[in-house]
């Protein structure tokens, strides 16, 4: 249940819907995002997360429901009447302008005095750790630096809310991981509410204070990264946020005394030989079908004698079972999560 908005609420959505033809892109979404929060909208392509971001920005208007920003109903207002800025994946920097001119562009449009523009641009550059880069052109910067210029251009306008539409998607993996840490630090220093759209679960878990998981235009679950990973509410969340084994039906009844469905993470299952390890009263036999080395862990795929496949993650320093090995699996019921659907 979504609480009533209060002074701590930056964005409040109530029963917001948007259709494109016969497709319900956003279907009756209600959500509160807190002041100063780093909030992620997570979901696969076509789940509705980007459409919701566009509705908050004013690039789309809802067919029903209300959007309240900082206590003001902006449901029917155009983007320029909303105190938000948006950062897109392609950054959209002006190639012929210097970094400084790119950042101050919005201030020039608003006719902010020159002296104030200079002060605010310097502060924005310092916030994104690009002091001394003001005279460079975008083509003289790395991908990560261009991303930070786009952030500075948005932050210099001092919006109440910053919307980010997969801004790290164009970066290579290592730079993407570095920028995840940088972006969170920038948000913390700026103290602005960030709403971040991503389809990358690790990105959402790394950066967000809370996140909402979307599926078919609706929110499946809202919570902290820890809550989402450790206590998934639905089958979809259990499978999309991390990796889960879904156990149900006769096997669940045999192991846990109920048909489920239940979710259990691969790292929670113990591999043993003949007898259940301590603290794992539920025990099943299986045959290893594959063992994948993933660096710090080894992912063991196996087929239970009861006919269901299962994934187990073990430390790379542990003995690694081989394809065809007969093993036992211990399921600690304390790490078992009942699913609502």
């Amino acid at each position: 249940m979504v609480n009533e908005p209060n002074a701590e609420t930056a964005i409040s959505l109530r029963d917001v819907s948007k259709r494109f033809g016969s497709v319900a892109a956003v279907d009756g979404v209600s959500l509160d995002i807190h002041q100063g929060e780093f909030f992620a909208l997570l979901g696969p392509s076509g789940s509705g997360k980007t459409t919701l971001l566009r509705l908050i920005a004013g690039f789309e208007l809802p067919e029903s429901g209300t959007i309240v920003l900082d206590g003001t109903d902006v449901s029917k207002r155009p983007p320029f009447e909303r105190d938000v800025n948006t950062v897109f994946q392609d950054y959209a920097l002006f190639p012929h302008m210097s970094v400084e001119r790119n950042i101050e562009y919005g201030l020039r449009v608003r006719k902010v005095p020159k002296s104030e523009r200079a002060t605010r641009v310097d502060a924005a550059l310092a916030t994104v750790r690009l002091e001394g880069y003001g005279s460079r052109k975008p083509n003289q910067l790395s991908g990560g630096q261009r991303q930070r210029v786009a952030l500075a251009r948005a932050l210099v306008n001092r919006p109440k809310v910053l919307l980010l539409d997969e801004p790290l998607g164009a970066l290579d993996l290592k730079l993407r991981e570095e920028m995840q840490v940088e972006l969170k630090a920038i948000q913390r220093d700026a103290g602005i509410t960030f709403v971040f759209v991503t389809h990358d679960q690790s990105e959402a878990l790394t950066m967000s204070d809370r996140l909402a998981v979307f599926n078919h235009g609706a929110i499946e679950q809202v919570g902290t990264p820890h809550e989402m990973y450790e206590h998934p509410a639905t089958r979809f969340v259990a499978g999309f946020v991390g990796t889960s084994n879904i156990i149900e039906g006769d096997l669940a009844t045999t192991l846990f005394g109920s048909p489920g469905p239940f979710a259990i993470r691969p790292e929670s299952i113990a591999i043993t030989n003949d007898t259940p390890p301590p603290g794992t009263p539920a025990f099943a036999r299986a045959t290893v079908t594959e063992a994948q080395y993933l660096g710090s862990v080894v992912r063991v795929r196996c087929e239970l004698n009861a006919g269901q496949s299962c994934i187990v993650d073990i430390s790379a320093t542990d003995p690694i079972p081989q394809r065809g090995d007969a093993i036992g699996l211990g399921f600690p019921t304390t790490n078992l999560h009942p699913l609502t659907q």
Side-chain angles (χ1 to χ4, degrees):
M1 181 176 180
V2 179
N3 296 325
E4 288 301 313
N6 53 50
E8 300 277 324
T9 303
I11 304 170
S12 180
L13 309 172
R14 290 294 178 272
D15 298 318
V16 173
S17 294
K18 179 69 176 180
R19 299 183 71 88
F20 296 103
S22 61
V23 177
V26 175
D27 191 7
V29 167
S30 293
L31 176 67
D32 284 338
I33 298 174
H34 305 151
Q35 296 278 5
E37 186 172 39
F38 197 123
F39 195 95
L41 306 178
L42 174 66
S45 297
S47 62
K49 59 190 187 298
T50 296
T51 300
L52 187 68
L53 193 83
R54 292 177 62 82
L55 287 165
I56 296 171
F59 301 137
E60 304 283 353
L61 296 180
E63 293 168 6
S64 62
T66 58
I67 301 171
V68 176
L69 298 179
D70 197 30
T72 301
D73 187 342
V74 298
S75 306
K76 302 302 181 184
R77 291 190 181 185
F80 58 84
E81 292 185 6
R82 305 186 186 201
D83 197 2
V84 302
N85 272 67
T86 307
V87 177
F88 298 100
Q89 182 175 331
D90 62 3
Y91 313 145
L93 301 178
F94 298 113
H96 63 286
M97 291 185 183
S98 67
V99 166
E100 184 178 76
R101 297 276 288 187
N102 264 284
I103 293 172
E104 73 167 6
Y105 180 79
L107 300 178
R108 292 171 66 89
V109 170
R110 296 183 183 188
K111 302 188 185 306
V112 173
K114 184 176 181 180
S115 60
E116 184 180 347
R117 289 203 308 267
T119 300
R120 287 170 66 170
V121 168
D122 287 344
L125 284 169
T127 298
V128 299
R129 300 165 182 82
L130 283 178
E131 302 97 321
Y133 284 76
S135 62
R136 297 194 187 187
K137 295 287 182 65
N139 64 3
Q140 297 175 305
L141 304 176
S142 67
Q145 289 169 337
R146 288 195 295 271
Q147 194 256 9
R148 280 185 273 175
V149 173
L151 279 173
R153 186 176 59 183
L155 291 170
V156 78
N157 292 312
R158 298 174 180 169
K160 294 283 179 58
V161 175
L162 188 62
L163 308 175
L164 303 105
D165 188 8
E166 305 208 44
L168 308 184
L171 305 179
D172 62 65
L173 178 60
K174 185 166 181 58
L175 182 56
R176 187 181 182 116
E177 291 174 345
E178 291 174 356
M179 286 308 303
Q180 288 171 10
V181 178
E182 285 285 324
L183 194 58
K184 178 60 181 175
I186 289 168
Q187 186 269 338
R188 186 170 53 246
D189 292 345
I192 294 174
T193 304
F194 276 27
V195 182
F196 186 94
V197 164
T198 182
H199 63 272
D200 186 323
Q201 47 158 299
S202 64
E203 200 164 78
L205 294 174
T206 297
M207 293 191 294
S208 64
D209 299 312
R210 289 190 305 144
L211 62 151
V213 176
F214 278 75
N215 186 29
H216 297 305
I219 293 176
E220 293 263 339
Q221 188 176 351
V222 178
T224 66
H226 182 269
E227 289 168 346
M228 204 71 69
Y229 188 84
E230 296 295 339
H231 303 286
T234 69
R235 183 191 300 265
F236 179 82
V237 174
F240 191 77
V241 181
T243 301
S244 285
N245 297 286
I246 308 298
I247 300 175
E248 57 189 331
D250 291 343
L251 177 60
T253 301
T254 299
L255 290 174
F256 313 123
S258 170
F262 298 98
I264 188 165
R265 298 293 185 184
E267 66 270 20
S268 298
I269 302 172
I271 293 180
T272 184
N273 292 323
D274 299 317
T275 58
T280 54
F283 180 76
R285 299 192 181 281
T287 301
V288 175
T289 58
E290 195 69 55
Q292 299 172 292
Y293 178 75
L294 303 178
S296 60
V297 301
V298 173
R299 176 152 292 177
V300 180
R301 300 179 182 273
C302 50
E303 189 76 18
L304 297 174
N305 290 2
Q308 181 174 325
S309 60
C310 188
I311 297 173
V312 184
D313 285 348
I314 62 174
S315 170
T317 60
D318 291 341
I320 300 174
Q322 302 300 307
R323 188 170 185 269
D325 285 355
I327 58 174
L329 300 179
F331 297 85
T333 53
T334 53
N335 291 24
L336 197 66
H337 309 296
L339 305 176
T340 57
Q341 55 178 278

